[in-house]
Amino acid sequence: MMKPNPHYAELKDSYLFAGIAEKTRSYLEEQPGQRLLRLGIGDVSQPLCPAVIEALHAAVDEQASAETFRGYQPECGAPFLREAVANNYLSLGVSVSPDEVFISSGASDELGDILDLFAPGNAALVIEPAYPAYLDASVIAGREVIHLPSGTENGFLPEPPDDGRAGLIYLCSPNNPTGAVFGREKLGRWVDYANRTGAVILFDAAYKAYIEDESLPRSIFEIDGARTCAVEICSFSKTAGFTGTRLGYTVIPAELTRSGMSLNAMWVRNRTTKTNGVSYIIQRGGAAVFTQEGRRQIKEQIAVYKNNAACLTEALDECGVWYTGGRNAPYIWLKCPDGIGSWEFFDILLNETQIVGTPGSGFGACGEGFFRFSTFGSPEDTREAARRLKRLLAK
Ligand code: PLP
């Protein structure tokens, strides 16, 4: 008889998004016709930029004639996109070879798939509050999870632990949900720690396009020593609106080896076994992001979300609310007023302002008492939400 993976039974049901959906549904049942201001969503609201749309159309047209039709693509990514990604790293002063870039269908897919590289015995360290996929993917793989709590005392950016128990370390910067961003020195201490203990860092850089302070690293490979201990996982979703189009990339340096095995070579073997590559059409759309026009256009889109962030943080500043994020990240992580709980604040916001946000407790126990706003909504809704928020917090 087939035996199912027993670790699925160890997954905790995420009450977070189901709870939000249920509470908003019953609110709308009681208050029909009310318009909700949704600051909870992680999805973007701006459309794909013209340069990407043009490239997608052109790539579709290529499929119409035998001379230009494209079939299977190389499993690790089309050379034109691997090169475009590698070239783009040069703007950060980082040298990456196209062979070290793997094109993926998005960061989520990759965060789960990449665990194939690591023996199940490796414990995974997750800094909490955390993007829920780190924990769940590790549990499904049967891995021990080391929960490292963070809080206001360290700006939600903790130092590495004293022991060397972790084989795998998830770092997310800019962070979802806290919006906190590692500075060079602290990130350097994590890199040193990983090199010293032999751990591998999975660096989730899905929100790197939101960093505006020049002093902050956008890539872990800006840090000395990272090439021997880190894998960087990136996404076109929040950089260029590919949440539904699906595209990402992962960088695995040639120097990253453990027990004499090259993780880059292992990932080539994995991809050539488990995928037949990402759609040619989508990869052409992705390459357009790196053109001069594409870069200019996505910057304009990101500016829309940054204006949303400024609108919300201004309201919070005015009301003296503690928060992280917003400036170098598309999320704002705030302390619930008057010491109330995350879900209690959710209910007050919903009932009194019709704003839907995300309770911090859904991202790990140490998120209790905090709350997340996303800045990906429409500018109109965000402006209205900021107005209502100010009115509520002034009470
Ligand atoms: N990593 C983080 C931290 C995220 O917040 C998200 C999506 O919200 C992802 C990865 C997933 O990105 P993608 O759309 O490329 O799968």
Side-chain angles (χ1 to χ4, degrees):
M1 192 175 81
M2 183 283 268
K3 286 200 186 108
N5 178 346
H7 303 298
Y8 280 79
E10 295 157 21
L11 288 168
K12 294 211 173 67
D13 277 344
S14 168
Y15 177 63
L16 184 61
F17 293 107
I20 293 171
E22 176 53 30
K23 278 174 180 280
T24 48
R25 194 191 53 75
S26 71
Y27 175 80
L28 287 174
E29 251 173 39
E30 282 164 25
Q31 310 279 338
Q34 279 279 16
R35 197 168 74 83
L36 299 179
L37 303 173
R38 295 184 186 273
L39 300 188
I41 50 161
D43 204 350
V44 293
S45 55
Q46 297 291 303
L48 292 170
C49 68
V52 169
I53 292 294
E54 207 178 297
L56 290 172
H57 277 297
V60 168
D61 287 343
E62 281 184 63
Q63 309 311 306
S65 92
E67 289 73 44
T68 52
F69 166 77
R70 309 290 177 134
Y72 286 128
Q73 291 301 291
E75 295 89 343
C76 299
F80 64 81
L81 187 53
R82 298 178 89 183
E83 274 161 31
V85 171
N87 276 338
N88 192 51
Y89 270 96
L90 290 175
S91 64
L92 303 177
V94 169
S95 175
V96 162
S97 134
D99 292 346
E100 295 173 326
V101 176
F102 295 84
I103 305 303
S104 74
S105 295
S108 261
D109 313 47
E110 202 78 340
L111 281 161
D113 293 351
I114 202 120
L115 296 178
D116 275 4
L117 294 181
F118 310 101
N122 288 292
L125 183 145
V126 177
I127 296 176
E128 287 183 347
Y131 180 55
Y134 307 152
L135 175 63
D136 288 353
S138 301
V139 169
I140 289 172
R143 240 169 261 288
E144 179 199 352
V145 175
I146 302 167
H147 302 261
L148 181 61
S150 66
T152 49
E153 68 287 355
N154 50 30
F156 290 93
L157 297 166
E159 295 287 337
D162 295 330
D163 61 49
R165 273 171 62 216
L168 268 181
I169 298 167
Y170 288 94
L171 296 184
C172 179
S173 178
N175 188 277
N176 178 11
T178 67
V181 185
F182 274 107
R184 282 172 204 279
E185 277 185 24
K186 200 175 271 190
L187 189 55
R189 290 197 283 280
W190 278 96
V191 165
D192 292 346
Y193 170 80
N195 277 322
R196 200 168 60 244
T197 60
V200 169
I201 295 173
L202 294 180
F203 190 75
D204 184 341
Y207 298 103
K208 66 178 172 180
Y210 290 80
I211 296 180
E212 53 190 70
D213 286 355
E214 288 303 323
S215 64
L216 296 170
R218 291 170 176 79
S219 163
I220 195 166
F221 299 118
E222 291 179 53
I223 308 297
D224 283 346
R227 288 183 61 87
T228 51
C229 70
V231 168
E232 182 157 286
I233 296 179
C234 304
S235 168
F236 285 74
S237 286
K238 311 300 165 68
T239 306
F242 277 61
T243 50
T245 314
R246 311 302 304 142
L247 193 64
Y249 58 90
T250 296
V251 176
I252 309 182
E255 293 94 314
L256 182 54
T257 59
R258 290 293 179 270
S259 305
M261 295 174 81
S262 154
L263 270 67
N264 181 296
M266 288 164 70
W267 196 234
V268 171
R269 193 73 175 84
N270 181 294
R271 295 293 81 184
T272 50
T273 305
K274 291 198 168 181
T275 85
N276 268 328
V278 175
S279 149
Y280 169 78
I281 296 165
I282 305 299
Q283 292 193 72
R284 277 289 176 205
V289 168
F290 297 110
T291 60
Q292 209 178 2
E293 248 331 78
R295 266 203 293 262
R296 190 185 59 73
Q297 291 169 2
I298 63 164
K299 222 169 159 182
E300 281 173 8
Q301 286 199 337
I302 289 172
V304 171
Y305 304 132
K306 284 194 167 286
N307 282 339
N308 285 347
C311 193
L312 290 167
T313 53
E314 213 176 274
L316 296 174
D317 284 337
E318 216 175 292
C319 302
V321 175
W322 186 98
Y323 64 87
T324 54
R327 180 165 154 75
N328 294 297
Y331 295 111
I332 297 166
W333 178 254
L334 60 110
K335 201 163 174 33
C336 300
D338 303 325
I340 63 173
S342 302
W343 279 107
E344 204 184 331
F345 190 52
F346 177 92
D347 289 336
I348 293 172
L349 274 184
L350 176 61
N351 289 306
E352 297 193 21
T353 65
Q354 294 73 53
I355 295 172
V356 180
T358 313
S361 54
F363 299 98
C366 60
E368 180 54 275
F370 291 88
F371 205 78
R372 190 193 77 174
F373 285 142
S374 146
T375 62
F376 290 125
S378 75
E380 298 73 32
D381 279 8
T382 309
R383 271 197 300 274
E384 180 55 27
R387 255 195 301 274
R388 293 186 194 179
L389 199 59
K390 270 197 264 190
R391 226 181 301 139
L392 174 81
L393 294 173
K395 271 191 203 168

